[in-house]
Amino acid sequence: MDFNDLSYKKTYVALHNSCNQSLKEGNDNSYEDETYNCKNCNTPLFSLKNKLASRIGWFSFANAIPGKIRHQPVTENIRSEIFCNCCGTFLGYIFFSERLSSNGFRYFINALSVKIKNKNLENVTRTAWLAGGSFWGIEYYLKKLNGVLYTTVGYMGGEIENPTYKQVCTQTTGHYETVEIQYEPRKLSYEKLLKYFFEIHDFTQTNGQNSDIGPQYRSAIFWSTPEEKDIAIKLMKRLSQMGFKVATQLLPVTKFWPAENYHQDYYMHKQDQPHSHKYHKIF
């Protein structure tokens, strides 16, 4: 099926008219305080006004900002895949004939594909990147921290693009097993996040984490702003003053490559707990 199909055309025209009418009435996407932007290119895609109730890990909206979404039908007159019209990032789906929204449309968006922006505040969410052994264990504990919204495990700091887990395990690519953390600074400060990070892994081990030995398992903090770097230096100095020999590396952020799907939320799917990570109160 494609856009030439008459039934889909009728549905798409109705969707387009609904978005435009909402914009004229001031009910949609007038770039009010909070918007949900493409995580890849930062294009505003949805407005907080049009957010609907949804399950954890996915956002739902009644409308999108006109012209910002590209549709690709996958099921006749029922749903379409949707993409950022600027960079092509896959966002999720739009469902038709939905009773939960007044216009009959429902955008179902993968929360990992968007980031929240607020005009009057700093970013409603921020992103941090931490490495401390197997990313399965670090992610397991970080998800427990109040203020952490989403986590993605992957690779950072290496020399090749889009590495696979098999390549990283050769210990020749230079990558660290890294967790990308999206968090709410209003609930969780960067300093508190780093304190917790030091408490869930052995930051004194130089070439791995417990029995996981190799450069991909090293402890590292990837900073993206001078403020983050200063906070990390302050905490590492404090740990040294407490008698710890800190092996954690402090490195600037580079390209983050998400790991394969089967690595995401690994312990949740396995219904198990980490064997190489444990929480120890320090601060």
Side-chain angles (χ1 to χ4, degrees), residues 245-265:
K245 189 174 181 180
V246 181
T248 301
Q249 296 175 293
L250 189 55
L251 304 169
V253 166
T254 57
K255 177 71 176 180
F256 175 77
W257 303 99
E260 296 84 344
N261 287 338
Y262 70 90
H263 290 297
Q264 310 299 332
D265 297 313

Side-chain angles (χ1 to χ4, degrees), residues 36-40 56-59 89-92 109-116 127 139 143 149-153 180-182 256 258-259 261 264-265:
Y36 292 73
N37 297 6
C38 175
K39 188 174 182 180
N40 186 51
I56 295 175
W58 291 79
F59 293 138
T89 293
F90 173 73
L91 303 171
I109 307 301
N110 186 337
L112 293 176
S113 67
V114 294
K115 53 187 176 183
I116 308 170
T127 307
E139 181 186 52
K143 279 184 172 294
L149 294 172
Y150 314 109
T151 58
T152 305
V153 301
E180 181 180 77
I181 308 108
Q182 191 173 2
F256 175 77
N261 287 338
Q264 310 299 332
D265 297 313

Side-chain angles (χ1 to χ4, degrees), residues 15-83:
L15 170 65
H16 178 76
N17 291 340
S18 173
C19 285
N20 285 341
Q21 183 61 33
S22 296
L23 184 62
K24 291 176 183 178
E25 294 172 355
N27 294 326
D28 181 40
N29 312 317
S30 53
Y31 296 89
E32 77 281 3
D33 288 346
E34 192 165 298
T35 59
Y36 292 73
N37 297 6
C38 175
K39 188 174 182 180
N40 186 51
C41 68
N42 204 33
T43 297
L45 303 172
F46 302 94
S47 122
L48 179 62
K49 282 185 179 179
N50 290 285
K51 195 169 185 292
L52 304 171
S54 61
R55 69 186 67 175
I56 295 175
W58 291 79
F59 293 138
S60 289
F61 301 90
N63 274 328
I65 297 176
K68 304 300 183 182
I69 300 294
R70 175 169 60 84
H71 303 74
Q72 176 62 49
V74 292
T75 305
E76 184 173 355
N77 216 28
I78 297 176
R79 69 175 178 133
S80 288
E81 291 182 339
I82 55 177
F83 303 82

